[in-house]
Amino acid sequence: MKARNVATLLLVTISFQVLAGIVAQLETSPSPAPEPAPEGQSPMPPPLLPAIFVFGDGALDVGNNNDLPEGDEMGDAPRATRPYYGIDSPNSQPTGRFSNGYNIAHDSATIPTTMQRFTGVNYASANAGLRQSTNAQMTISLSNQVKNFAATRSQLEALLGGREPLNNLLSVSLFLIGVGTMDLLPCCNFYLTFPLKDNKTEVQRLIELYESTLATLHGMGARKFGVINVGLLGRLPSVQMSRRSGDPSIDRRATEFNAKLDLLLSTLTAKLNGFRYSFADFYGFTNATFANPAGFGFLNTKYACCTDPCSPDLYVAPCDNRSEYWFWDNWYTTEKASKLAAAAFCSGNAFAMPVNIKGLAARDREL
């Protein structure tokens, strides 16, 4: 099995500049690798406010899968490069986001209004999982995303002039993570057909991988984590149209995973020095929305606005009332759903614990 670690990922380049509050403009823009400061010159100072580093799957991917090679054994990586993706973006052009417009990664980066000078890097990859085997060879797994962050970290150390300013930057930065959905869906794990004899449940193994990832990032300097749990998997149009439609075990796995993830985060505050987190409850937010769609401005929370493959090649145009749909395609949400979720996680109190992401980001610097 060949693991994907995309050396051409252009996100490892950082340039500090005023971004007018939109980190997404930097997320996929190519630029040369930073050089160490010449002798006799002071290194460039770090941003006055936190950076944002994003890891996860297609709900957070801003176009990284566009750079993956084609034609591997298991097929091509999913890419949001064709119309109608991005139909509500500027110029109605596909941006690589699996949405009609922006997604949670973009909105989570732009909602904190106090961040006027910051930058960020997005490593998320559509269909990625905690396991290397999840959608193997068609994505950038979470472990490889962390390897890409390690490359970023090395370049930042040179750019900032040493370990101390690097640690100062990372300790006040936000690490946003949303992963696990693809690991829990039976359709996405082609290599898990053999018996495992350690008496652990599937969810226990995934949580152990999550813990290892968080500990690794903490060891590299991360202190503030915004962690998004998995949503109502059984309500995904892709699941509803499959032979697993109506299977209650899918959402049972999701609730078990979310409960253990919540407990893990609480436990890590005592185990890892300076570890702080905001637990973004996407499952709870989705459940509340589906219980009262009209109260959130939705008329349809069952079907996709744009039927897969969500392309003019299918000769079926997407729905006209996109702002009234929760699902954009068979897997991912519309821009409106993403914006509402991001607002709830960043500024609300009902679906982000023990603090919201904005509150987490605003906390005093901790090393």
Side-chain angles (χ1 to χ4, degrees):
M1 185 189 317
K2 181 176 67 176
R4 267 191 164 135
N5 187 10
V6 183
T8 59
L9 201 71
L10 298 173
L11 304 181
V12 298
T13 297
I14 302 286
S15 60
F16 296 117
Q17 54 185 294
V18 177
L19 298 178
I22 302 180
V23 70
Q25 293 177 0
L26 184 67
E27 287 168 341
T28 55
S29 58
S31 55
E35 299 289 340
E39 285 190 33
Q41 292 186 19
S42 298
M44 187 177 297
L48 299 176
L49 293 166
I52 301 178
F53 300 93
V54 181
F55 305 81
D57 57 27
L60 300 172
D61 187 355
V62 295
N64 293 328
N65 274 21
N66 295 353
D67 296 321
L68 291 175
E70 298 182 0
D72 278 345
E73 179 183 351
M74 296 303 298
D76 291 342
R79 297 177 179 85
T81 55
R82 58 185 182 271
Y84 301 101
Y85 288 103
I87 192 171
D88 295 315
S89 297
N91 302 317
S92 297
Q93 295 298 314
T95 63
R97 295 173 176 86
F98 289 79
S99 169
N100 56 308
Y102 292 128
N103 61 19
I104 291 178
H106 179 277
D107 294 314
S108 295
T110 60
I111 282 177
T113 57
T114 60
M115 295 184 183
Q116 297 176 358
R117 187 175 180 226
F118 68 96
T119 187
V121 185
N122 187 310
Y123 307 92
S125 173
N127 282 20
L130 288 150
R131 297 189 188 95
Q132 285 277 4
S133 61
T134 297
N135 290 312
Q137 302 183 26
M138 294 187 292
T139 187
I140 310 168
S141 68
L142 183 63
S143 60
N144 283 336
Q145 293 176 36
V146 173
K147 290 178 182 178
N148 286 328
F149 168 70
T152 299
R153 186 177 179 276
S154 296
Q155 294 193 4
L156 276 173
E157 183 175 353
L159 179 66
L160 296 175
R163 184 67 56 85
E164 183 176 354
L166 172 65
N167 287 339
N168 289 341
L169 168 68
L170 296 180
S171 69
V172 296
S173 295
L174 174 66
F175 287 73
L176 181 66
I177 306 174
V179 70
T181 293
M182 294 296 166
D183 298 285
L184 294 170
L185 291 174
C187 65
C188 303
N189 291 275
F190 309 109
Y191 294 101
L192 292 182
T193 56
F194 54 88
L196 298 172
K197 301 178 181 180
D198 54 10
N199 294 322
K200 295 178 182 177
T201 67
E202 177 186 13
V203 168
Q204 285 176 318
R205 296 188 194 97
L206 293 175
I207 293 300
E208 287 179 355
L209 288 172
Y210 220 132
E211 180 175 10
S212 175
T213 299
L214 294 175
T216 298
L217 289 171
H218 178 273
M220 290 193 283
R223 293 296 181 267
K224 299 182 179 183
F225 295 86
V227 179
I228 306 172
N229 69 10
V230 302
L232 286 167
L233 304 184
R235 296 290 294 272
L236 290 170
S238 58
V239 174
Q240 291 290 324
M241 294 185 299
S242 74
R243 63 183 181 85
R244 303 300 293 267
S245 178
D247 182 351
S249 68
I250 294 178
D251 277 330
R252 280 202 300 268
R253 283 200 299 273
T255 55
E256 180 189 356
F257 177 87
N258 290 338
K260 291 186 181 300
L261 178 58
D262 190 8
L263 179 61
L264 170 65
L265 295 173
S266 177
T267 301
L268 290 179
T269 59
K271 291 177 62 175
L272 301 178
N273 181 45
F275 184 94
R276 299 291 182 269
Y277 72 93
S278 176
F279 184 61
D281 186 8
F282 188 59
Y283 189 99
F285 182 75
T286 305
N287 210 18
T289 304
F290 286 12
N292 180 25
F296 291 84
F298 294 101
L299 292 181
N300 193 312
T301 57
K302 183 175 181 179
Y303 298 106
C305 173
C306 193
T307 306
D308 278 356
C310 194
S311 167
D313 296 339
L314 193 62
Y315 303 108
V316 178
C319 63
D320 292 328
N321 53 335
R322 293 185 284 277
S323 65
E324 297 174 346
Y325 273 66
W326 175 266
F327 292 109
W328 166 243
D329 62 14
N330 289 342
W331 298 91
Y332 300 109
T333 59
T334 58
E335 179 182 63
K336 178 181 176 179
S338 294
K339 283 186 173 182
L340 290 177
F345 303 154
C346 287
S347 304
N349 297 313
F351 301 102
M353 295 77 69
V355 296
N356 58 39
I357 291 176
K358 187 174 180 179
L360 176 69
R363 286 191 171 187
D364 292 339
R365 180 171 302 193
E366 297 181 48
L367 296 177

